[in-house]
Amino acid sequence: MGRTADQGGRNRPFSKGGLRLLMILLLIPLLGGCWDLRELDSLALVFGMGLDLGPQGDGYRLTFEIVRARQIQTPGPDGSGGGGGQRNPYWLLQATGPTVFEAVRNATLQSSRRLFLSHTQVFIIGEELAKSGISPTIDFIVRVNEPRIVKWLLLTADEPEQIFAAEPGLEQITALAIADLIQNYGITSKIKPVRVVDYLETRMHKTSANTLPIIRIKETTGKKELIIDRTGVIKGDKLVGYLDPKETRGLLWVQDEVDGGVVTVDAPGGEGKATMELFNADTKLTVEGNEHGIQVRIEVKVRSGLGAQTTSVDLSTTNQIERLEKRQAEVIREEIGAALTKARDLKADIFGFGEYLYRHDHRRWKGLESEWERYFVGAEVDVLVEVMVEEVGLITKPTIYRAPEGG
Amino acid sequence: MDQGKISPWQLTLLVMSFTIGNWIVLPAGTEAWQNLWLIMILALGEGLVFAYLSLLLFRRFPGKTLFEIFALVFGSVGGKFLSLLFLWFFLQTGAAALMIFVTLLKTTIFTATPDMALLVPWMLIVIYGCRRGIEVIARSNEPLIIATIFLLFISVLLVLNIFDPANLLPLFNLPLSDALWISVGIAVFPFGQNVLFLMILPRVNRRQKVTGAVLKGMIGAGGYLLLIQFLTVGVVGKVGEIYVFPSYEFYRMIDIARVLTRLELIPLLNFMTMGFIKIMLCLYALAVGTAQVFNLRTYRPLVFPLGALLLIAAFRFAPSISQHLRFVEEVNPYFGLFYSVFLPLLTLGVALVRGWLRRRVTS
């Protein structure tokens, strides 16, 4: 009996069921998980990455803000904190190398865990490096699968490590605080948010100039805090100039990226000022051109409401509202004008007029492309601003209300 | 030989999966980037014409595989020679799909996994499915293609907030000759590769519906790929040009309220299912073809060794993605035209002339 069964087995080494079972057994260990098993406790989660020129001016010096996951648990009711000690919730690690990639790997010489870049929220580039070119730095971020191209790109005049070492305000990790800071740009619309992919996209249009927000340290009562209040202009991959907040918003107006914010105007018919809140802004850009020059038309439509006034004059009457609208339009025109003047000074097409022309009339664009700088500087720009003031808030008469004389 | 039967509808779905195959992650003709989706419409038209011409061959010899037709038209020796040429085509098509499969996984998620650990279990499933015959392949394809189409519709909803129509402009900025040449390249790959189905058509149960089924499948796949390409350009923009796997990058950019992000598994899933069917069909055609060349009773014992051969070929033909891209760009248009247009038409022409001669002799 046993022999026959054996022989049967020999003739058909794999019965149908046996083969299936063998396959399943073979597949289980292979399909179970990744080869390079990486659990959370063996990874160094990088949240912020700072990039600057190396010590001797060649190569790169990288700063990583690595989160200490155990330190950022919320404190228990007794205030003792979730996990051991009072250590910083993050660890700053620096490494150098001839390329960004090698510097990232060199960082592991000092780190007990492998650096994991997938969660990097911000990439902060030192100005020294920005002056010598940004793209060589970004290549690694785009080429490798871990870092994500939809994360924020910033510049700083300070050392990147100083930025990460600053007070993160309400957050625990500076990199996260910076990411949130940029994401809330619409509250003022004075920051130009740029993702890595946006930078790359603009870079690929030969004539367009990039703009990047600049973060710096501001000392408040002895503490180092962070502020983003300038924008760097990057022409041909190199930092060439700066926009102040007013010019930055001028840029955002043209690019239809104003998401909110306030505009302050001199109050009509009296001393003092009035501040309007922007509810909604919509910009339409048209660029036309021929070999004699280009014409640009920027039409801005704004809906806003009165938010504060410092004068005692009642601004809520229809007459006054009309004047407010006019003055607000004036201020917006000024902002756009300021950005235009700066861009012309730098000969940098930060608005993407060239890109617009390429997209809508690429045949004409071909003729103008080689001398675009000249055409851009000489462009005739019409700015039309239409403002609607729709709301006056919860009160009509000003709080600095003066009863009519003789009442 | 395999006696399984499939319905015309299953054939349509198979053609769809096969065409979508590896194109979904690695499109050809990326030098036309922004215009690619427009060129694809043209390419689909050309592909349909090519396919119709090849299908005439099947109409003239109903119930015969391509290799049997070769034998009938060119005689035993000539037919065998052409059959061997075509076996090479099946091998190369399957190897390319396999190579892209492993490259995609290696550069994206399984960065440290050895190639063989990815390929061997994959090939085992392919071999298993292939041994089961065309009926099983067709039936397993049904849920996979339906899932793929479903994921596409989901993707459309997911990218509504990041889709920028301005990225599509200018609509057309290529010289016409370039556009035509690229369209020919696309007409032969992926659409032209459907010539492989000439090995499978005899297994369809209602022959009169075959032509319609194949063309329908190609149109479906063409629409699918076009939509993916359209979305990718609109979302990724000009940057997509520099990526090896643009549609993968497109899913990485999805961001719904910072909650729904990192959906890059969708393209991987799409490719793994569609590529699976494609590689399986290539191996099937390879095995059935080899069996017919050597007049074997069954193709089944051949599947395993040929599967192993496919695996080796994947590394041999294109050791790096750069070589594959160069092949697709420089060689493939000629290579594809030779196999999916020239050879079928030559066969059809010779068959018609011989038929005409025979009629004259008898009359």
Side-chain angles (χ1 to χ4, degrees):
Chain A
M1 279 290 269
R3 255 189 88 156
T4 33
D6 271 357
Q7 264 177 345
R10 223 170 279 146
N11 289 341
R12 298 183 58 205
F14 298 112
S15 69
K16 239 182 189 177
L19 185 70
R20 258 183 226 164
L21 194 69
L22 186 72
M23 267 189 158
I24 291 168
L25 287 179
L26 265 175
L27 293 182
I28 284 173
L30 293 170
L31 299 177
C34 322
W35 199 269
D36 51 338
L37 174 80
R38 289 177 293 181
E39 295 293 341
L40 203 55
D41 60 0
S42 64
L43 289 179
L45 294 182
V46 178
F47 271 48
M49 204 166 140
L51 307 114
D52 211 345
L53 276 184
Q56 270 84 48
D58 61 320
Y60 297 91
R61 194 190 50 187
L62 267 54
T63 310
F64 303 94
E65 184 175 32
I66 296 164
V67 70
R68 284 198 180 103
R70 198 168 277 187
Q71 302 293 325
I72 54 171
Q73 287 166 356
T74 43
D78 52 345
S80 64
Q86 288 298 310
R87 292 211 289 175
N88 235 350
Y90 55 83
W91 174 41
L92 290 182
L93 177 62
Q94 276 200 331
T96 55
T99 62
V100 177
F101 188 25
E102 184 154 357
V104 168
R105 284 293 159 92
N106 283 346
T108 319
L109 295 173
Q110 306 160 52
S111 165
S112 54
R113 300 177 185 179
R114 188 186 176 287
L115 260 56
F116 189 61
L117 302 175
S118 270
H119 294 275
T120 312
Q121 303 292 317
V122 289
F123 299 96
I124 300 182
I125 295 178
E127 278 191 13
E128 285 308 307
L129 180 57
K131 277 171 190 156
S132 68
I134 293 176
S135 289
T137 324
I138 293 184
D139 186 88
F140 169 77
I141 300 171
V142 183
R143 189 181 294 275
V144 175
N145 68 326
E146 269 183 22
R148 304 186 78 84
I149 54 169
V150 289
K151 297 306 178 191
W152 306 108
L153 197 60
L154 295 97
L155 288 181
T156 184
D158 303 306
E159 312 262 278
E161 60 268 27
Q162 298 296 321
I163 299 292
F164 288 128
E167 288 287 318
L170 294 173
E171 311 299 326
Q172 304 210 36
I173 312 287
T174 347
L176 290 179
I178 297 169
D180 286 344
L181 198 65
I182 298 178
Q183 242 139 21
N184 291 333
Y185 84 100
I187 297 171
T188 57
S189 293
K190 286 178 184 171
I191 299 172
K192 160 93 181 152
V194 181
R195 301 174 302 171
V196 176
V197 62
D198 302 329
Y199 182 86
L200 212 58
E201 173 99 38
T202 313
R203 181 88 185 86
M204 290 180 89
H205 292 279
K206 271 174 249 157
T207 57
S208 296
N210 256 303
T211 42
L212 286 178
I214 297 183
I215 191 165
R216 68 179 174 89
I217 287 171
K218 186 185 173 210
E219 301 245 352
T220 318
T221 60
K223 278 186 179 169
K224 288 180 171 174
E225 308 221 303
L226 296 171
I227 179 170
I228 302 181
D229 62 353
R230 274 199 307 178
T231 303
V233 176
I234 289 124
K235 189 177 156 194
D237 214 34
K238 293 189 168 101
L239 180 68
V240 293
Y242 304 97
L243 304 179
D244 62 21
K246 184 180 169 187
E247 291 157 350
T248 303
R249 192 150 73 187
L251 169 71
L252 293 184
W253 282 121
V254 178
Q255 293 187 326
D256 194 15
E257 280 188 56
V258 171
D259 214 27
V262 295
V263 175
T264 301
V265 299
D266 290 328
E271 310 278 290
K273 296 191 180 293
T275 295
M276 328 286 291
E277 181 170 10
L278 305 168
F279 297 142
N280 190 325
D282 189 27
T283 308
K284 239 171 125 182
L285 179 71
T286 30
V287 182
E288 278 169 16
N290 54 31
E291 48 280 10
H292 302 301
I294 57 165
Q295 292 88 44
V296 181
R297 214 177 139 85
I298 303 162
E299 288 170 73
V300 186
K301 273 194 186 135
V302 178
R303 285 172 45 230
S304 61
L306 184 58
Q309 66 175 75
T310 58
T311 161
S312 56
V313 179
D314 181 3
L315 294 180
S316 63
T317 62
T318 48
N319 265 352
Q320 295 284 43
I321 293 254
E322 220 167 86
R323 287 158 80 183
L324 274 181
E325 285 173 350
K326 265 191 200 128
R327 291 192 178 200
Q328 197 186 337
E330 196 54 48
V331 171
I332 293 171
R333 244 197 307 275
E334 252 170 50
E335 285 178 349
I336 295 175
L340 264 171
T341 315
K342 183 57 77 67
R344 280 181 175 142
D345 284 353
L346 298 170
K347 293 187 180 146
D349 183 4
I350 52 176
F351 309 103
F353 291 159
E355 199 182 318
Y356 184 94
L357 199 63
Y358 164 71
R359 281 188 166 153
H360 291 86
D361 195 351
H362 68 274
R363 283 189 188 83
R364 179 132 298 160
W365 162 245
K366 273 219 173 95
L368 306 181
E369 191 185 355
S370 53
E371 281 187 85
W372 183 251
E373 222 166 74
R374 187 165 65 78
Y375 285 109
F376 173 72
V377 173
E380 273 174 53
V381 184
D382 284 331
V383 184
L384 301 169
V385 185
E386 196 187 314
V387 179
M388 295 259 289
V389 174
E390 295 178 341
E391 281 178 35
V392 293
L394 296 174
I395 52 174
T396 52
K397 302 284 177 284
T399 50
I400 326 158
Y401 180 64
R402 257 184 306 190
E405 304 261 330
Chain B
M1 211 53 55
D2 188 11
Q3 289 308 321
K5 286 282 176 201
I6 59 174
S7 71
W9 175 241
Q10 283 176 319
L11 178 67
T12 303
L13 294 182
L14 273 180
V15 171
M16 264 190 89
S17 302
F18 184 77
T19 313
I20 292 170
N22 41 15
W23 226 81
I24 184 167
V25 288
L26 191 74
T30 38
E31 63 268 30
W33 186 242
Q34 250 166 338
N35 308 312
L36 194 53
W37 63 279
L38 279 172
I39 293 176
M40 281 170 72
I41 301 177
L42 189 65
L44 176 60
E46 290 167 20
L48 288 175
V49 173
F50 296 162
Y52 187 78
L53 292 173
S54 300
L55 284 164
L56 287 178
L57 201 58
F58 182 70
R59 276 216 189 147
R60 187 158 172 85
F61 302 97
K64 295 271 184 282
T65 66
L66 184 62
F67 288 8
E68 287 164 346
I69 297 172
F70 281 154
L72 283 174
V73 175
F74 295 101
S76 179
V77 178
K80 288 234 152 70
F81 175 69
L82 286 182
S83 303
L84 284 175
L85 272 185
F86 250 94
L87 284 180
W88 179 264
F89 176 74
F90 301 150
L91 184 69
Q92 179 138 14
T93 309
L98 203 57
M99 183 263 164
I100 293 166
F101 165 76
V102 70
T103 310
L104 177 68
L105 290 184
K106 243 172 28 184
T107 45
T108 54
I109 45 174
F110 294 107
T111 45
T113 314
D115 298 349
M116 282 302 163
L118 294 170
L119 280 171
V120 169
W122 181 261
M123 266 330 270
L124 282 178
I125 308 172
V126 169
I127 289 167
Y128 176 74
C130 215
R131 285 178 61 101
R132 294 263 140 195
I134 191 70
E135 243 183 79
V136 170
I137 299 176
R139 258 185 283 134
S140 60
N141 176 48
E142 281 172 48
L144 296 182
I145 181 78
I146 288 166
T148 306
I149 292 169
F150 175 72
L151 283 174
L152 176 71
F153 288 126
I154 298 265
S155 322
V156 173
L157 296 179
L158 288 174
V159 300
L160 282 179
N161 63 337
I162 48 171
F163 185 84
D164 183 7
N167 280 337
L168 297 167
L169 296 172
L171 275 183
F172 196 79
N173 64 343
L174 271 188
L176 198 63
S177 57
D178 285 11
L180 281 175
W181 181 238
I182 293 169
S183 81
V184 169
I186 300 171
V188 296
F189 166 68
F191 299 119
Q193 292 189 338
N194 284 317
V195 70
L196 176 139
F197 279 91
L198 285 173
M199 297 301 290
I200 292 163
L201 294 183
R203 303 265 68 82
V204 180
N205 55 15
R206 274 175 293 166
R207 275 182 202 137
Q208 65 280 11
K209 292 209 168 175
V210 159
T211 308
V214 171
L215 298 185
K216 251 192 280 174
M218 284 174 69
I219 293 170
Y224 181 97
L225 295 174
L226 210 130
L227 189 54
I228 282 272
Q229 182 59 28
F230 181 79
L231 291 177
T232 309
V233 172
V235 171
V236 187
K238 212 171 158 53
V239 180
E241 251 179 82
I242 65 172
Y243 279 106
V244 179
F245 305 113
S247 63
Y248 176 78
E249 221 47 50
F250 144 68
Y251 282 99
R252 280 182 84 182
M253 289 178 72
I254 288 177
D255 181 359
I256 305 282
R258 284 201 266 164
V259 177
L260 220 50
T261 56
R262 294 166 199 249
L263 295 174
E264 55 256 43
L265 277 179
I266 295 182
L268 289 182
L269 213 60
N270 281 349
F271 173 59
M272 283 173 97
T273 52
M274 297 297 94
F276 170 61
I277 297 294
K278 179 164 181 175
I279 296 166
M280 204 148 69
L281 283 173
C282 286
L283 182 56
Y284 179 80
L286 197 60
V288 170
T290 312
Q292 283 186 346
V293 168
F294 295 105
N295 296 325
L296 304 181
R297 261 183 302 114
T298 169
Y299 74 94
R300 286 200 169 81
L302 293 173
V303 174
F304 194 86
L306 286 174
L309 180 66
L310 203 58
L311 216 134
I312 297 160
F315 289 100
R316 284 283 129 206
F317 289 163
S320 81
I321 189 77
S322 310
Q323 272 170 348
H324 176 79
L325 291 176
R326 191 166 157 212
F327 172 80
V328 168
E329 197 178 314
E330 292 176 16
V331 185
N332 202 47
Y334 306 101
F335 181 79
L337 279 175
F338 178 70
Y339 278 107
S340 45
V341 183
F342 177 72
L343 279 185
L345 284 188
L346 178 74
T347 316
L348 185 65
V350 171
L352 289 177
V353 169
R354 289 185 70 161
W356 178 70
L357 283 176
R358 200 180 307 125
R359 263 196 309 268
R360 261 185 59 148
V361 169
T362 47
S363 60

